[in-house]
Amino acid sequence: CSQRCASAVSGALTRETHRRARLRAYPRLISRMVDIASPLRLPCGVVLPNRLAKAAMTEALADDLGRATPELASLYAQWSDGGSGLLVTGNVQVDRRYVERPGNVCIDGAQDDAARARLAAWARAAKGTGAAAVIAQISHAGRQSNGMVNMAPVGPGDVAMTEMPSGFFGAPHAMTAAEVEEVVARFAHAAKVCAEC
């Protein structure tokens, strides 16, 4: 019994020693904590007014032509008014043939005045009072193009999506070098349009 008692006491003393060490370290931890309301400078030079961010998610609120809608602008205005320092948009697709789902915003080719006005209204709503930074998630769904949209997607290879229910994604064909170059150009075009709007 004495050996078990000694072991139990030793264990209790060790736990108490560790507990006291954590308590002594607590003020140092608090002093190193970052205030969530403090600004944050990103490596690209953008300064976020705080450290609250809305991550990218698919909203599916674009119209049938892939244009931003008043509903999308209203949603982003609410997030901006809620105090987020950064809003990352949902998918902004570069090729309407290969979208992640119906309702994605698409910047595919030349944008007419109406499409640009809708993008600008969405950007203004997202920026709110000028506090939030907005980053567009420019995308190409590739082999993850939804079967509701396209059962013949393209991708960097011809490996089909197997982790999802059967029939939800089509088997992709491997993109040619020319197709890859076209997608790169589409990304550059979409980024330019976003910057202009």
Side-chain angles (χ1 to χ4, degrees), residues 11-79:
L13 288 173
T14 301
R15 285 190 299 277
E16 180 62 17
T17 301
H18 287 296
R19 186 186 72 79
R20 287 182 182 187
R22 285 192 308 270
L23 289 174
R24 282 192 304 275
Y26 187 72
R28 288 190 307 261
L29 291 173
I30 294 297
S31 69
R32 289 194 322 237
M33 290 177 73
V34 176
D35 180 4
I36 198 165
S38 65
L40 175 66
R41 179 178 295 278
L42 300 179
C44 64
V46 171
V47 178
L48 306 180
N50 61 53
R51 290 147 192 261
L52 297 173
K54 192 255 345 147
M57 61 179 73
T58 188
E59 299 95 9
L61 290 174
D63 69 11
D64 291 341
L65 299 175
R67 298 179 302 184
T69 59
E71 293 81 11
L72 187 61
S74 175
L75 179 61
Y76 275 79
Q78 290 176 42
W79 280 326

Side-chain angles (χ1 to χ4, degrees), residues 10 89 102 173 190:
S10 173
T89 72
H173 85 263

Side-chain angles (χ1 to χ4, degrees), residues 26-174:
Y26 187 72
R28 288 190 307 261
L29 291 173
I30 294 297
S31 69
R32 289 194 322 237
M33 290 177 73
V34 176
D35 180 4
I36 198 165
S38 65
L40 175 66
R41 179 178 295 278
L42 300 179
C44 64
V46 171
V47 178
L48 306 180
N50 61 53
R51 290 147 192 261
L52 297 173
K54 192 255 345 147
M57 61 179 73
T58 188
E59 299 95 9
L61 290 174
D63 69 11
D64 291 341
L65 299 175
R67 298 179 302 184
T69 59
E71 293 81 11
L72 187 61
S74 175
L75 179 61
Y76 275 79
Q78 290 176 42
W79 280 326
S80 180
D81 292 346
S84 290
L86 171 63
L87 300 176
V88 181
T89 72
N91 292 300
V92 176
Q93 299 292 345
V94 300
D95 191 333
R96 69 183 70 253
R97 296 172 298 174
Y98 308 111
V99 296
E100 173 261 343
R101 64 166 299 140
N104 285 156
V105 171
C106 296
I107 299 177
D108 184 357
Q111 301 294 295
D112 63 19
D113 290 342
R116 284 179 176 271
R118 287 168 174 250
L119 287 169
W122 179 26
R124 276 191 310 276
K127 291 175 185 172
T129 60
V134 181
I135 296 176
Q137 179 190 207
I138 302 173
S139 308
H140 184 288
R143 74 177 187 154
Q144 294 180 0
S145 187
N146 191 303
M148 293 184 289
V149 177
N150 189 337
M151 285 301 288
V154 298
D158 61 0
V159 178
M161 297 283 293
T162 58
E163 304 83 21
M164 303 302 280
S166 177
F168 201 68
F169 296 98
H173 85 263

